[in-house]
Amino acid sequence: MGSDGADAFADKVENAKKAGIRFDPARGLVPLRVWAQEWLERRVIGESTRRNYEGFIRNHLVPRLGRKMLAGVARRDVEGFARDVHASDRGAGGLHGQ
């Protein structure tokens, strides 16, 4: 990160502190697979939607990114994941067609 990037990050942190926003660094040490399960458990959704989400998490998210800690998930990881899911969606007749 260049000096411009470091200065921008420092400004962002200072603004968050002034706004009273606090981040729990330990929360970033949670594996994405655990966080995804906790996220799903908090959703108020219909049963078929829950099954669809569970299948997506189990079949796509966990195999690709599930071992990464939240703090270790980078933008390039998410972009690559989205690209791969999109490509497999086209090749398999769509996620909904499976």
Side-chain angles (χ1 to χ4, degrees):
M1 185 180 317
S3 63
D4 289 341
D7 290 342
F9 179 75
D11 288 344
K12 190 175 182 180
V13 170
E14 283 304 314
N15 288 336
K17 285 169 39 180
K18 289 176 187 171
I21 299 170
R22 301 289 182 250
F23 299 98
D24 180 1
R27 191 68 181 137
L29 300 177
V30 173
L32 183 61
R33 71 179 180 281
V34 172
W35 180 88
Q37 187 60 44
E38 292 172 355
W39 174 86
L40 184 58
E41 290 169 3
R42 292 189 306 269
R43 300 302 97 190
V44 178
I45 52 179
E47 198 51 42
S48 67
T49 300
R50 180 171 305 283
R51 283 192 305 272
N52 284 337
Y53 287 2
E54 285 172 340
F56 182 83
I57 290 167
R58 180 180 56 254
N59 297 322
H60 299 284
L61 186 66
V62 169
R64 177 72 188 267
L65 298 172
R67 290 180 176 237
K68 284 190 166 276
M69 299 298 151
L70 285 180
V73 177
R75 171 178 263 164
R76 69 181 173 277
D77 296 322
V78 175
E79 290 170 348
F81 173 72
R83 187 175 45 253
D84 291 349
V85 167
H86 182 70
S88 69
D89 186 35
R90 284 182 287 149
L95 291 174
H96 301 292
Q98 294 179 5

